[in-house]
Amino acid sequence: MGKKLSMKGWLFISPALILLAVFLVYPIIYSFYLSFTSTKGIISSFVGFKNYIRLVKDPMFLLALKNTGIILLIQVPIMLISALILANILNDRKLAGRGIFRTAIFLPSVTSLIAYTILFKMLFSFDGIINRLLLSTGIVDHPLEWLTTPKLAVFVLILAMLWRWTGYNTVFYLSAMQNISYEIYEAAEIDGASKTQTFLRITLPLLKPMILFTTIMSTIGTLQLFDEPMNLSQGGVTAATMGPGNCFLTLSVYIYNLCFKYVPNFGYAATVSYVIVFIIAGLTVLQFWAGQSNEEKDAKKRLEKEGKA
Amino acid sequence: MKRNIRVSRVFLYLFLIIVSFICVFPFYWMIVGSTNTPIQIIAGKMTFGSHFVENFHTLFNNYDMLRILMNSLKISGISVILILLIGGMAGYGFQMYKSNLKEKLYGFFLLTMMVPFATLMIPLFKIITKLNLLDTHFAVIIVSAVSAFMIFFFRQSFINYPTEILEAARVDGAGEFRIFFNIFVPSMKSTFAAAAIYSFITSWNSYLWPLIVLQSNEKKTTTLLISMMSSSYTPEYGVIMLAIVVATLPTIIIFFAFQKQFVQGMLGSVKQ
Amino acid sequence: MKKSIVCLLVIALFVTIFGAAGAEDSDGKITVWAWDPSFNIAIMKEAAARYEAINPDIKIDIVEMAKADVEQKLNTVLAAKTTEGLPEIVLIEDYNAQKYLQYYPGSFADLTTKFNYNDFAAYKVGVMTLDGKVYGVPFDSGVVGFFYRSDILAEAGFKAEDLKNITWDQFIEIGKTVKEKTGKYMLGFQNTDGGIMRIMMQSAGKWYFDEEGKPALIGNQALVEAFELYKKIVDSGIAKPTNNWNEWVGTINTGESASVTSGVWIVGSIKAAKDQSGLWDVAPVPRLSTVDSKNASNLGGSSWYILDKSADKDAAIDFMQKIYAGDKDFYQTILINNGAVGTYLPAATGEAYSTPDEFFGGRAIYEDLSAWMKEIPPVDYGIYTYEADAAIMAQMEAVCAGTMTIDDAIKAAEAQLENQIQ
C-alpha cells in the first residue's frame, strides 16, 4: 500500500472520525472523569475511588447486577439456540413456504421497543388475553399475577425479549448459513449423515464466527437493557420499585434512577455505567478466547475433508 | 424410514406454524385493538370493532399524528442517508486503505460499542447545547449518524470485495472518490440496502435521545407520542393501539419493500 | 481529490443549515412543561387562554410529556448548566420540590416578593420554601378521599354512615364483607406502590425522616402499622392486584372494585366512566389505629416553578400572578371541568364548591374535601421521599410473602436508605 494511497484513505474515514470524536469519544472521556466525582445536582466534588468503593456496599447496585446477570444467563442462550434451530430449519431449500415463515419470524424485529413492551404489558395484565386463554383452557384455575410476582414478571420480560429478538438473530444465522455451499450438505447426505449430525458437524463449526458475533452483540444489548424493563415496570406516578421486588431493576435502569429519579448523582451513575463497560469488555475477551481456541482449526480441517469427499 | 420422515415433516410444519403464529399474533391484536374502545380492549375483545374512525380522528386531530409521522420520517430518512454516506466511506477507508494507525483506531471504535448510552447522555447534551442544536431534528440525526456498529458492518461486508477491480480502475486513471461512488457503491447495492433498513428501523424506534433533545410539541417523534399516550392517567387504549399500528407501518413497509436486498446484504456482511 | 473537498463541504453545509434552523430565543413565548393531558395540561390550557385574552402579545406553548419525562428533561437541562432549552414554567411534584431547590441552586426564580403567600394553603408553601425564600406557585391539592361505589357497598349492607371516619382495620373488614356478598374487590392495589403508605404516614403526621432530614424508619410506629396493613390487604384477598397506573384506574372504570382511596385528582379518572354516574360517594380517608392519626391525608399534588434563567421569565411571572394568584373564576372553572382543588384560598369558596355533584349522588364533594384539606397534618417531605419509598418497597414483597418480619424489613430498608443518600 503506497503512502499516498493510505493518505487518501484518511479522507474516506475523516467524516466518521470527526463525528465519532465529538459525539462519542469526548463524552466517554468526560463521563470517565465524572465517575471519580460525586454530584448532587450541580453541586459536585472530586472523590477519587470512593464511588467504586461505594458500589461494593450498595445493595441496590448488587441487586441490579444480579438481575441483569440472571436475564443475561437465561435469555441470551435460549434466544441464540432458538435462532440457530429456526435458521437451520429455514435454510432447508426443500421447505415449502419458507419465505413466509422467514418473514413472520423476522416481523417482530421491526417493532419499536416501547410499542412491543406496551403490547406485552397489556397481554399479560391480570385480566389480559393470556390469563383469559389459560383460564378458558383450564390450564390454571385462577388468573396468574404475571407482572406482580417477581419470578413471573421476569419470565414475562424474558418472553417479550425472546419474541422481539429471536427473529432478528435468526436472520443473521440464516445469512451466514446461505454462505455455506449446498454441495457440502448434499455430500453429507450421500455419506448417510443424519440431519442432526450435519447440523452439529458442518453447520455449527462454520457458523462459529457468526455465533461469536451475535453472542457479543446480545451480551452488550442485554447488559445495557433499559427500554423493556423500564416500560414494563412503569407504575404511574407513585411507583416505588422497578417491578415487583425490584426484579426489573437492571444496571441501566439503576443508572437512569440515579440520574433522574433520585437526587441526581451523575458521578455515581457514571461509575455504575463504567462497571457495565468493564463487564462487557471482560466478557467479550472471554467470548473471543472461547470462540477461537480449538474450534477454528477443527472447522478448517473438517471443511477440507468435506471438500474432498 | 420414509414414513418417519413424513411424520417429522408434519411436526416441523406444525412447529413453524405455531412459531409464526406467536410472532404475528401481537400484530393482529394491535390492529384489532385499533378498531375498538378502551373498555372492549380491556374486556379482551378479539374481533374487529366499529371504533376505527373515531380512534383515527382522535389520533390525527387531537395528537397531530400526521406531523409527528413526518418528523419521524424526516429524522430517519436523513439519518439513513448520512449513515450510508459516512459509515460506507469509513468502512471502505478502513478496509481498502489499511494502515497500522487505522487498525488501531478501528479497534478503538469497536470498543466504544460497549459503552452504554446512559453514560454519554449528559456530556452529549452539553455538546448539543453548545452547538446550538437543542430542540432540532438535526441533534437527533447527527448523533444517530455516528454508529460504530455500522462502520463495523460495512467493513465486514467489504472484506471479500475483489481489489483487482479497484486497481484496474486506478490504472485507468479514475480518482479515488470516483472509484468509490461510481464503481464500488453500485456493486455493493445489497449491502447498502441492508444497512439502510437496519439503520432506518433503529433510528425510527429510538427513544431516549430524542426525548432528551426534542423540546417542543411540533418536533416530537412517534415513539415519544406513544410513550406519552401510554403514561396518560386516562389512557385511550384504542387510540394507543392505532398509534402503535401507524408507527409500526413504515418499518414494515420498508422491510417488505427491501426484504430481498436485506437478506442478500446481510449475507455479504458475514462472508468470511 | 477535488471531489473529496466537495463532499466534505456538503456535509459541513448540512450541519450549518440545520444548525441555523436551530433553537433561537423567541421572545414573547412562554414554554410550559407538564404532564397528564386530562388534568394539568387541560388546566394550563385554560389558564393560557385566559392570559392570552388579557395579553395577546404573549403566546403560551404547553409541552405535554409523561411525568417521568418531565423530570428527566429538567434534570438533564439543569445539570448541563445551559440556559438554552429551558422552559419558562415547569410543573414539579411536591415530594420532589426540595430536591430540585437544594441541588440546583440558582436555577429557580425567587418569587418571595412576587406573590402574597398568605393567600395559599400553608402546607403547600412550606414545600417550596428554602432558607426563607419561596420559589414556586402552589397549585393543586392532593387531599385524600375514600371514594366508593355506594351501590356496591349498599348491596353488601353498608350505609354512608358506616363508612365515615373508620380505621384501616375496619376498612379491611368491610372489604371482606363486600368480597363475600358481591364478589367485587374492595380496591385495586399494587403492593409495590408507596401511595397508600404515604397516605397512612401523613395521616399520622409522620414521614420517613426526622427534623434534621435523617432517615427515621426504625421505631416509627406509623410505618410498622402501615406495613402490617399492606400485608393484611394482600392476605385478605380484598384487593385486585394491578401492575400499573392504567390497570389500577381500569379496576374503577370497569366496576370491578368498589372503592379507591386516593388524592382528589383521581376524580377526573373516576368520572371517565360516564355510565357510573350517580353511583359514587366519598368519605374521609381511613385512619391508623395504633398511633395518633386523623381521618385526613394528602397524596401527591404539585406546583408550578419558574426557571430563573429562562428567556421570558418576567412574562411568566406576570402570567402566574394574573391567573393563578388572581383569577378566582379560573379556579371555579377548573374545579368544575377538571375536578382540580386549588390551594389559592381566596378562590376556595364559591358556587362551584357548594354545587351538588350528580356523579356523586348529589353530594357537594368539594365542600367536604376542602374541609378535610384543612385537617391534613403537615409534614416535611424532605428531599429523599422517593429514595425512602424505594427502600421500603424493596422489602414489601418479602413481607407480604411472609418470608421476612416487619422489623427486619424496616432495618433492611433503613440500611439501604442510608447507603442510597450518602
Side-chain angles (χ1 to χ4, degrees):
Chain A
M1 176 78 39
K3 224 177 188 157
K4 219 171 141 194
L5 217 50
S6 172
M7 283 310 290
K8 280 181 183 164
W10 286 104
L11 282 175
F12 281 95
I13 300 169
S14 49
L17 220 55
I18 295 164
L19 287 177
L20 282 165
V22 177
F23 294 107
L24 202 60
V25 178
Y26 168 74
I28 288 174
I29 294 169
Y30 185 86
S31 65
F32 189 62
Y33 158 76
L34 269 183
S35 79
F36 293 99
T37 65
S38 181
T39 50
K40 296 218 155 145
I42 44 177
I43 304 161
S44 145
S45 56
F46 191 82
V47 295
F49 282 95
K50 244 185 184 163
N51 283 339
Y52 288 88
I53 296 163
R54 178 179 166 185
L55 277 176
V56 188
K57 290 182 289 179
D58 181 352
M60 290 290 254
F61 166 74
L62 297 174
L63 182 65
L65 194 63
K66 190 182 118 197
N67 289 341
T68 315
I70 289 172
I71 297 168
L72 181 75
L73 285 178
I74 299 175
Q75 192 262 342
V76 173
I78 294 180
M79 174 182 72
L80 294 182
I81 291 169
S82 315
L84 259 173
I85 293 170
L86 282 173
N88 194 49
I89 294 172
L90 292 174
N91 194 38
D92 183 351
R93 289 192 189 175
K94 288 178 218 141
L95 189 80
R98 65 187 188 131
I100 296 170
F101 289 130
R102 193 179 59 202
T103 306
I105 288 166
F106 185 73
L107 209 53
S109 326
V110 305
T111 54
S112 77
L113 301 185
I114 297 201
Y116 96 84
T117 314
I118 291 172
L119 286 177
F120 267 79
K121 196 153 86 174
M122 288 166 84
L123 281 172
F124 283 92
S125 66
F126 190 64
D127 38 23
I129 291 171
I130 301 295
N131 266 343
R132 276 166 207 275
L133 198 76
L134 292 177
L135 281 173
S136 65
T137 52
I139 296 173
V140 296
D141 53 359
H142 59 90
L144 291 176
E145 296 182 28
W146 289 109
L147 290 162
T148 41
T149 334
K151 280 195 180 119
L152 287 179
V154 174
F155 177 75
V156 172
L157 173 66
I158 290 175
L159 215 59
M161 289 169 68
L162 287 175
W163 182 83
R164 171 65 170 74
W165 295 103
T166 305
Y168 177 85
N169 286 294
T170 306
V171 171
F172 278 96
Y173 290 144
L174 203 52
S175 312
M177 283 179 185
Q178 288 176 355
N179 278 333
I180 305 172
S181 130
Y182 204 61
E183 283 86 52
I184 299 181
Y185 288 111
E186 278 174 343
E189 207 175 335
I190 291 163
D191 286 356
S194 76
K195 287 251 148 128
T196 329
Q197 278 176 321
T198 339
F199 177 68
L200 291 177
R201 294 275 175 79
I202 302 174
T203 315
L204 219 49
L206 286 172
L207 241 53
K208 203 83 204 181
M210 197 65 206
I211 294 172
L212 182 66
F213 170 74
T214 48
T215 311
I216 292 171
M217 290 309 286
S218 308
T219 306
I220 293 177
T222 307
L223 282 171
Q224 301 187 8
L225 187 67
F226 175 78
D227 291 38
E228 288 97 335
M230 194 68 188
N231 281 294
L232 266 184
S233 66
Q234 241 172 34
V237 274
T238 49
T241 60
M242 307 308 300
N246 269 323
C247 68
F248 290 151
L249 186 83
T250 63
L251 288 168
S252 280
V253 171
Y254 189 46
I255 293 173
Y256 178 93
N257 283 353
L258 285 172
C259 287
F260 302 118
K261 190 171 173 186
Y262 306 145
V263 171
N265 190 338
F266 300 112
Y268 189 50
T271 313
V272 176
S273 70
Y274 265 92
V275 171
I276 302 184
V277 177
F278 296 143
I279 295 173
I280 293 176
L283 286 179
T284 308
V285 170
L286 201 71
Q287 284 161 351
F288 258 111
W289 177 77
Q292 271 182 342
S293 50
N294 41 36
E295 307 288 338
E296 207 107 304
K297 296 169 221 152
D298 277 54
K300 266 184 199 151
K301 261 188 221 155
R302 202 164 298 132
L303 192 64
E304 275 161 27
K305 239 197 225 160
E306 305 289 353
K308 275 175 204 157
Chain B
M1 185 71 187
K2 267 233 160 114
R3 201 189 167 143
N4 263 344
I5 289 174
R6 212 166 278 162
V7 170
S8 71
R9 208 74 183 158
V10 168
F11 274 107
L12 190 70
Y13 279 109
L14 202 66
F15 171 73
L16 280 178
I17 288 167
I18 293 171
V19 169
S20 303
F21 175 77
I22 293 170
C23 289
V24 176
F25 174 74
F27 289 90
Y28 166 77
W29 186 53
M30 76 189 186
I31 293 168
V32 164
S34 69
T35 67
N36 285 320
T37 63
I39 309 263
Q40 286 170 325
I41 294 168
I42 294 170
K45 189 165 177 272
M46 294 292 294
T47 49
F48 286 92
S50 55
H51 264 76
F52 178 75
V53 176
E54 210 175 312
N55 289 339
F56 191 86
H57 271 287
T58 315
L59 184 62
F60 280 82
N61 294 343
N62 297 7
Y63 292 100
D64 207 2
M65 187 69 194
L66 196 64
R67 182 204 283 263
I68 288 169
L69 212 52
M70 292 316 285
N71 287 345
S72 279
L73 275 177
K74 176 184 159 196
I75 290 176
S76 306
I78 300 175
S79 293
V80 168
I81 294 169
L82 283 182
I83 288 173
L84 294 192
L85 191 69
I86 296 169
M89 274 169 45
Y92 182 83
F94 278 121
Q95 180 58 29
M96 303 302 172
Y97 307 92
K98 286 185 191 133
S99 74
N100 247 339
L101 185 58
K102 287 196 199 89
E103 288 304 312
K104 275 183 192 138
L105 265 176
Y106 180 72
F108 178 72
F109 284 159
L110 290 193
L111 285 178
T112 61
M113 276 196 270
M114 299 175 190
V115 183
F117 183 73
T119 322
L120 314 175
M121 239 158 26
I122 303 288
L124 263 182
F125 184 82
K126 281 192 175 181
I127 297 170
I128 289 299
T129 45
K130 284 228 175 80
L131 292 175
N132 208 12
L133 285 174
L134 200 62
D135 200 22
T136 63
H137 288 150
F138 195 68
V140 181
I141 294 166
I142 197 76
V143 169
S144 63
V146 200
S147 165
F149 176 71
M150 287 322 290
I151 296 175
F152 168 76
F153 174 83
F154 277 116
R155 181 177 184 179
Q156 208 53 27
S157 311
F158 297 162
I159 286 179
N160 276 23
Y161 189 85
T163 42
E164 303 84 53
I165 299 177
L166 306 181
E167 297 295 346
R170 267 183 209 127
V171 172
D172 287 350
E176 294 300 312
F177 278 87
R178 193 148 139 219
I179 294 173
F180 177 72
F181 284 108
N182 293 357
I183 299 170
F184 184 76
V185 173
S187 67
M188 298 301 277
K189 255 187 214 147
S190 53
T191 297
F192 281 89
I197 295 176
Y198 179 86
S199 46
F200 183 88
I201 293 175
T202 312
S203 163
W204 183 269
N205 291 337
S206 66
Y207 168 64
L208 201 53
W209 180 239
L211 173 71
I212 295 171
V213 287
L214 298 181
Q215 316 266 353
S216 46
N217 282 331
E218 306 88 65
K219 301 270 166 62
K220 267 188 191 143
T221 63
T222 51
T223 41
L224 298 186
L225 178 76
I226 293 172
S227 146
M228 185 199 81
M229 286 169 83
S230 72
S231 60
S232 157
Y233 294 171
T234 41
E236 304 164 276
Y237 289 117
V239 187
I240 293 173
M241 294 288 229
L242 184 61
I244 294 179
V245 172
V246 173
T248 313
L249 221 50
T251 50
I252 292 182
I253 293 171
I254 296 258
F255 174 67
F256 273 110
F258 297 101
Q259 194 181 14
K260 219 173 173 183
Q261 287 91 326
F262 183 65
V263 174
Q264 274 176 358
M266 287 304 217
L267 207 124
S269 77
V270 294
K271 267 187 195 151
Q272 300 301 321
Chain C
M1 194 64 198
K2 263 182 198 161
K3 274 215 169 138
S4 65
I5 295 165
V6 172
C7 190
L8 284 177
L9 274 178
V10 169
I11 292 170
L13 202 67
F14 246 102
V15 176
T16 42
I17 287 170
F18 282 92
E24 303 271 281
D25 287 16
S26 60
D27 280 299
K29 196 168 115 189
I30 299 175
T31 303
V32 183
W33 289 357
W35 63 89
D36 193 8
S38 59
F39 195 80
N40 301 316
I41 298 288
I43 289 164
M44 204 40 160
K45 278 184 182 157
E46 170 71 25
R50 283 167 183 265
Y51 188 68
E52 281 166 357
I54 317 171
N55 193 345
D57 295 339
I58 298 283
K59 200 195 161 295
I60 297 169
D61 185 23
I62 301 159
V63 184
E64 179 187 341
M65 286 174 270
K67 175 173 173 279
D69 296 350
V70 172
E71 285 164 5
Q72 177 192 353
K73 286 181 80 154
L74 190 62
N75 271 316
T76 319
V77 178
L78 293 179
K81 291 184 221 167
T82 61
T83 52
E84 290 291 325
L86 284 178
E88 270 70 27
I89 299 170
V90 64
L91 186 67
I92 296 178
E93 194 183 23
D94 290 347
Y95 297 130
N96 273 329
Q98 285 292 323
K99 172 172 103 181
Y100 286 105
L101 295 179
Q102 294 196 20
Y103 291 128
Y104 294 111
S107 299
F108 297 94
D110 174 9
L111 304 174
T112 318
T113 56
K114 307 283 183 189
F115 294 86
N116 177 8
Y117 282 101
N118 292 328
D119 282 348
F120 290 95
Y123 84 100
K124 289 287 278 193
V125 180
V127 164
M128 56 183 65
T129 306
L130 180 65
D131 300 332
K133 287 178 185 158
V134 195
Y135 290 93
V137 183
F139 175 43
D140 71 316
S141 163
V143 56
V144 175
F146 162 33
F147 301 92
Y148 60 88
R149 285 279 296 272
S150 45
D151 56 331
I152 297 175
L153 278 139
E155 197 187 328
F158 296 101
K159 292 189 288 293
E161 281 311 304
D162 305 329
L163 304 167
K164 237 177 214 161
N165 298 326
I166 56 173
T167 64
W168 281 101
D169 282 319
Q170 287 170 312
F171 173 90
I172 293 169
E173 289 310 312
I174 292 168
K176 284 182 190 162
T177 314
V178 168
K179 186 86 209 292
E180 208 176 292
K181 292 205 173 148
T182 69
K184 304 268 186 190
Y185 293 103
M186 186 62 174
L187 73 165
F189 186 71
Q190 184 180 5
N191 70 2
T192 57
D193 186 307
I196 298 279
M197 167 103 25
R198 272 177 265 137
I199 291 175
M200 291 171 175
M201 298 285 285
Q202 188 156 7
S203 76
K206 287 280 191 300
W207 208 242
Y208 305 129
F209 308 96
D210 60 18
E211 284 81 28
E212 282 143 37
K214 295 242 167 64
L217 304 182
I218 296 170
N220 188 333
Q221 180 54 32
L223 182 63
V224 173
E225 190 184 340
F227 255 112
E228 285 166 355
L229 288 168
Y230 262 64
K231 185 164 166 50
K232 277 185 204 163
I233 290 174
V234 171
D235 291 346
S236 64
I238 62 168
K240 173 174 169 157
T242 56
N243 170 49
N244 55 55
W245 177 273
N246 300 349
E247 271 180 47
W248 181 65
V249 172
T251 63
I252 321 170
N253 291 347
T254 55
E256 282 169 290
S257 60
S259 80
V260 57
T261 300
S262 191
V264 57
W265 34 261
I266 197 69
V267 169
S269 301
I270 295 176
K271 285 187 173 176
K274 296 187 182 71
D275 56 317
Q276 295 173 6
S277 178
L279 302 178
W280 283 86
D281 205 344
V282 64
V285 56
R287 64 176 188 277
L288 298 178
S289 42
T290 63
V291 287
D292 183 25
S293 162
K294 285 187 172 163
N295 284 102
S297 191
N298 179 76
L299 180 65
S302 41
S303 299
W304 304 103
Y305 293 79
I306 295 173
L307 277 303
D308 199 45
K309 294 188 182 72
S310 59
D312 288 296
K313 171 182 140 191
D314 295 330
I317 292 173
D318 188 58
F319 164 52
M320 295 312 280
Q321 283 171 335
K322 295 248 163 66
I323 306 298
Y324 282 89
D327 190 341
K328 286 182 200 169
D329 187 52
F330 164 69
Y331 280 99
Q332 302 281 311
T333 308
I334 62 171
L335 180 70
I336 294 166
N337 291 349
N338 312 98
V341 174
T343 48
Y344 180 58
L345 301 175
T349 51
E351 216 179 312
Y353 280 83
S354 49
T355 313
D357 192 330
E358 286 314 314
F359 200 94
F360 286 85
R363 186 189 288 275
I365 58 165
Y366 295 115
E367 213 162 52
D368 289 346
L369 285 160
S370 321
W372 302 334
M373 187 171 100
K374 290 178 194 124
E375 301 292 316
I376 299 172
V379 294
D380 177 3
Y381 294 140
I383 40 182
Y384 295 113
T385 289
Y386 278 108
E387 281 86 343
D389 236 30
I392 290 165
M393 289 305 149
Q395 311 301 332
M396 189 57 84
E397 192 65 42
V399 170
C400 287
T403 55
M404 191 187 243
T405 66
I406 291 171
D407 274 354
D408 287 345
I410 291 176
K411 270 178 210 148
E414 176 138 333
Q416 185 189 319
L417 183 57
E418 293 278 7
N419 185 290
Q420 199 69 59
I421 65 180
Q422 74 185 17

